[in-house]
Amino acid sequence: MSYLDIINRRRSVYALSDRLPISEDELVRTVEDVVVATPSPFNVQSGRAVVLLGAQHRALWDEIVRPTLEAIVPAESFAPTAEKLAGFAAGAGTVLFFENRPAVEDLKARFPTYAAAFDGFAEHALGMIEVNVWNALAEKGVGASLQHYNPLIDDAVKARWGIPAQWALASQMVFGGIAAPMAPIDKLPASERVRVIR
Ligand SMILES: Cc1cc2nc3c(=O)[nH]c(=O)nc-3n(C[C@H](O)[C@H](O)[C@H](O)COP(=O)(O)O)c2cc1C
């Protein structure tokens, strides 16, 4: 597969199973390799990932996200939310992505001229890690979607898995076997989004 084949293979896959097409060890190594390989501003390397597998993954969705949302979503409209969360729990795992905030604050202190830009730069860098992981999983036939239940779940996640208080939770990438193919998605033509000036 070419690089473009791989990135075109990546989709938001919501119909997930717990049967991965690769071993858990290979999946973990892939996440590790991607996190290390992805660039960051001034090489700050502030992105962090926590891979939850099997029962730990199910605990995130069944024991943390579900009760957190159940407490705030009106009971009469909770059924679709519960169904969506059950779909996530049916996957094989979740990667939690964090930003190590002290590293970003240290950058601001060391390079005051750029200080106002560093929060944005650090978010870009974490986004690069997220999409690189998403693409790398797609290349191996692993389906995934990117979720954002932070900041509602941050305290419970940190307490449950001993995550440092100064890591800021940015996103949750649920992954697993692809249980159903995704419908094609509409895209604007490149001509509307890319200008060439020569
Ligand atoms: C930065 C970013 C944030 C996203 N957040 C969510 C989210 O919170 N929940 C969700 O279901 N999908 C989320 N998505 C997925 C997008 O809705 C999806 O990528 C887009 O509709 C294109 O579909 P595709 O991923 O199948 O190509 C996010 C995507 C990106 C790039």
Side-chain angles (χ1 to χ4, degrees):
M1 265 191 285
S2 72
Y3 184 64
L4 279 176
D5 290 337
I6 294 166
I7 63 175
N8 276 313
R9 193 178 203 205
R10 183 219 55 80
R11 291 294 312 277
S12 293
V13 180
Y14 297 101
L16 294 171
S17 80
D18 62 359
R19 290 180 303 282
L20 285 170
I22 56 173
S23 69
E24 288 185 349
D25 286 348
E26 182 177 349
L27 185 135
V28 169
R29 271 197 310 276
T30 302
V31 173
E32 290 171 341
D33 289 348
V34 168
V35 168
V36 171
T38 302
S40 60
F42 289 79
N43 202 25
V44 63
Q45 301 173 74
S46 50
R48 299 287 182 271
V50 172
V51 184
L52 301 175
L53 293 165
Q56 302 300 323
H57 151 79
R58 287 189 292 278
L60 170 70
W61 297 103
D62 295 340
E63 297 170 30
I64 294 180
V65 182
R66 187 189 156 113
T68 301
L69 293 186
E70 205 163 10
I72 57 172
V73 175
E76 60 277 15
S77 51
F78 188 65
T81 300
E83 196 181 331
K84 187 161 84 164
L85 299 179
F88 298 147
T94 302
V95 186
L96 305 171
F97 291 104
F98 298 86
E99 200 169 82
N100 181 27
R101 288 300 309 167
V104 183
E105 295 306 322
D106 180 58
L107 259 194
K108 291 180 188 175
R110 286 195 293 129
F111 303 99
T113 322
Y114 295 98
F118 279 137
D119 285 337
F121 285 0
E123 284 187 16
H124 298 174
L126 196 55
M128 291 180 186
I129 289 177
E130 290 166 351
V131 78
N132 279 347
V133 168
W134 206 348
N135 288 334
L137 295 182
E139 193 258 336
K140 292 171 183 292
V142 177
S145 81
L146 189 62
Q147 302 302 319
H148 297 88
Y149 289 94
N150 44 290
L152 291 172
I153 60 170
D154 297 23
D155 292 345
V157 163
K158 287 180 188 175
R160 176 131 193 170
W161 289 292
I163 310 289
Q166 289 165 313
W167 290 16
L169 181 60
S171 63
Q172 305 82 51
M173 186 171 284
V174 195
F175 59 83
I178 299 174
M182 297 300 299
I185 188 170
D186 285 338
K187 298 272 184 172
L188 293 171
S191 57
E192 278 190 41
R193 301 180 63 190
V194 180
R195 289 186 185 186
V196 180
I197 300 168
R198 15 170 100 93

